[in-house]
Amino acid sequence: MSRDEARTLGSGWISGTASVVLGAMGFGAVLCLLFPAQLTTPGLRAVYPMRLVRGLIEAVIVTGFVLGLVSVVLRKSKLLGLGGLSLAIVSVLLGGWTVPVEGPVARSNYLGLDWFLLDLLLMSVMFVPLERLFARVSQPIVRNEFGTDLVYFFVGHVLIQVFVFFTVAPATTFFFWARHPSFQTAIASQPLLVQFVEIVLVSDLFFYWTHRLFHRVPFLWRAHAVHHSPRQMDWLAGSRLHILEIILVRAVMFVPLFVCGFAPTAVQVYVVFVALHAVLLHANVRFTFGWIEQLIAMPRYHQFHHASDGESLDKNFAVHLPWLDRLFGTQYLPRDGWPAHMGVAGEHVPATYWAQLVYPFRRRERQGRSGPFREK
Ligand SMILES: [Zn+2]
Ligand SMILES: [Zn+2]
């Protein structure tokens, strides 16, 4: 195997990589059909249009197989192509897209493997072409540390049951006394759009101050520095969130939603909005949105928050509403231009998932800046 074999179009690298990715996704989807109680999310399971889902799994496996063949033909090193072919063949041998799901599925603890696969498919179909066509920075799809961020994306989806538990439990345990039925009925009976706007407002207000705290308290900063560590932005980079940050931030943000008693549909719409908006904010696209950028956060706004130099350090804490930063004196949004460098100034965050997981707990060997309110 030649390690230096070309990765250009026609070298079989793109088809080989795509074949492995699709083969692995097909294999994962077949596992979901085989073990629905343990590997699928109950809320999604209930609404899947199964004919469409099976057609999609078939398309993924067959395309993975064909691309594996293409790579084997084009590339001297057969590793990628054969890897993709093997995954597709094993998926078919396990029953492929025709595995019957004997209903009703038993209640069980579960991993959200289906949620991971579905979101990976949706986000990459939407954002990979967008980033190819409108890239702000020229970089390959599989850029530096892409694998690390894919692990974050995987963990962030697969452990959905754990995250939901830790999001909901603190509010129900400590704030049950703050719920007033008449107030909640009044909130939940408003039109959905009004509730959605209120959720965005109240959530971002809570997020803003939690985020500032993460930049201020040294231990929290070391956990949050992980999110700031990518030096190349793209649709996947925002997934890089330390597990402590995910749990703490979501637990805090859920408190007002729980106390106010918003309708579940409004909360679900917000969750979908957040999932899409967060990916867009980190995407490697050169779109600018004029005055809208003052109203709702766009990629340029959040990417100044990720910049490692200049006046934008410790600015733009809001994730949805830039005018909250303006209100609290932390906004940085020049008329045009983009930040020159991304990443964390003054400290070295390791590159792998496991090293980043223990990073906040490690004794500091070198004294770099310990918080965002960085000594300049
Ligand atoms: Zn931050
Ligand atoms: Zn971010």
Side-chain angles (χ1 to χ4, degrees):
M1 180 184 78
S2 154
R3 284 192 58 154
D4 300 326
E5 209 176 329
R7 294 182 169 189
T8 49
L9 197 67
S11 70
W13 190 83
I14 295 170
S15 51
T17 307
S19 158
V20 170
V21 170
L22 291 173
M25 289 179 76
F27 179 66
V30 173
L31 289 181
C32 289
L33 290 175
L34 286 167
F35 308 103
Q38 292 77 24
L39 297 181
T40 65
T41 315
L44 291 174
R45 207 189 284 155
V47 295
Y48 279 135
M50 281 313 289
R51 272 183 66 161
L52 187 69
V53 170
R54 287 183 189 282
L56 205 61
I57 299 173
E58 180 178 1
V60 164
I61 294 175
V62 172
T63 312
F65 184 85
V66 172
L67 290 175
L69 280 180
V70 171
S71 178
V72 165
V73 171
L74 290 175
R75 199 165 178 78
K76 212 187 292 170
S77 162
K78 309 296 181 197
L79 201 66
L80 281 173
L82 287 179
L85 281 176
S86 312
L87 283 163
I89 291 168
V90 171
S91 306
V92 172
L93 289 177
L94 286 173
W97 49 93
T98 61
V99 172
V101 177
E102 312 291 353
V105 175
R107 275 174 72 98
S108 158
N109 286 331
Y110 60 90
L111 295 173
L113 182 61
D114 59 333
W115 171 222
F116 162 72
L117 294 170
L118 191 66
D119 205 25
L120 181 65
L121 189 70
L122 283 175
M123 292 302 137
S124 51
V125 163
M126 283 168 67
F127 284 94
V128 170
L130 212 62
E131 291 187 344
R132 288 289 91 193
L133 291 170
F134 306 101
R136 182 175 79 78
V137 178
S138 167
Q139 63 190 34
I141 296 172
V142 183
R143 38 110 188 136
N144 283 340
E145 298 176 15
F146 187 87
T148 299
D149 292 335
L150 197 57
V151 176
Y152 277 99
F153 193 84
F154 179 75
V155 173
H157 286 74
V158 160
L159 296 186
I160 182 170
Q161 190 183 18
V162 177
F163 291 131
V164 168
F165 175 80
F166 283 111
T167 300
V168 174
T172 53
T173 309
F174 299 113
F175 293 93
F176 59 89
W177 51 268
R179 285 161 66 96
H180 297 287
S182 54
F183 176 66
Q184 292 198 321
T185 310
I187 292 277
S189 55
Q190 301 172 102
L192 272 185
L193 184 64
V194 174
Q195 290 189 60
F196 172 76
V197 172
E198 289 168 352
I199 293 174
V200 170
L201 183 64
V202 81
S203 296
D204 210 18
L205 200 58
F206 274 68
F207 179 80
Y208 175 90
W209 287 105
T210 315
H211 192 181
R212 272 186 84 159
L213 209 64
F214 267 89
H215 275 240
R216 172 69 85 177
V217 178
F219 172 74
L220 294 180
W221 165 249
R222 290 201 296 279
H224 184 56
V226 165
H227 180 69
H228 279 265
S229 65
R231 290 175 189 278
Q232 290 173 305
M233 286 286 131
D234 70 358
W235 63 279
L236 195 59
S239 310
R240 193 182 295 193
L241 286 163
H242 196 281
I243 203 160
L244 273 180
E245 177 172 351
I246 300 181
I247 288 173
L248 280 171
V249 168
R250 288 189 191 172
V252 169
M253 286 173 75
F254 186 67
V255 170
L257 306 189
F258 172 75
V259 170
C260 294
F262 289 103
T265 314
V267 177
Q268 284 155 8
V269 172
Y270 174 70
V271 169
V272 173
F273 166 72
V274 169
L276 264 172
H277 191 218
V279 173
L280 173 69
L281 289 181
H282 299 89
N284 176 30
V285 287
R286 56 173 183 265
F287 302 135
T288 54
F289 294 85
W291 60 269
I292 295 174
E293 293 185 350
Q294 287 287 351
L295 198 67
I296 179 130
M298 288 296 163
R300 209 166 69 89
Y301 193 77
H302 189 66
Q303 293 189 25
F304 272 116
H305 179 70
H306 276 265
S308 62
D309 49 15
E311 293 173 77
S312 61
L313 281 185
D314 308 317
K315 295 289 195 305
N316 300 3
F317 291 105
V319 75
H320 300 315
L321 306 170
W323 47 269
L324 285 180
D325 277 295
R326 204 161 171 171
L327 195 66
F328 299 125
T330 50
Q331 192 183 67
Y332 181 78
L333 188 61
R335 263 180 178 282
D336 45 33
W338 290 80
H341 303 288
M342 302 292 178
V344 183
E347 62 185 285
H348 175 70
V349 179
T352 65
Y353 180 83
W354 293 109
Q356 289 177 359
L357 192 65
V358 298
Y359 180 70
F361 307 100
R362 276 197 8 226
R363 262 195 30 206
R364 322 217 67 210
E365 296 107 20
R366 276 187 299 120
Q367 281 301 311
R369 55 176 283 282
S370 60
F373 290 89
R374 309 160 216 207
E375 293 111 64
K376 304 207 165 111

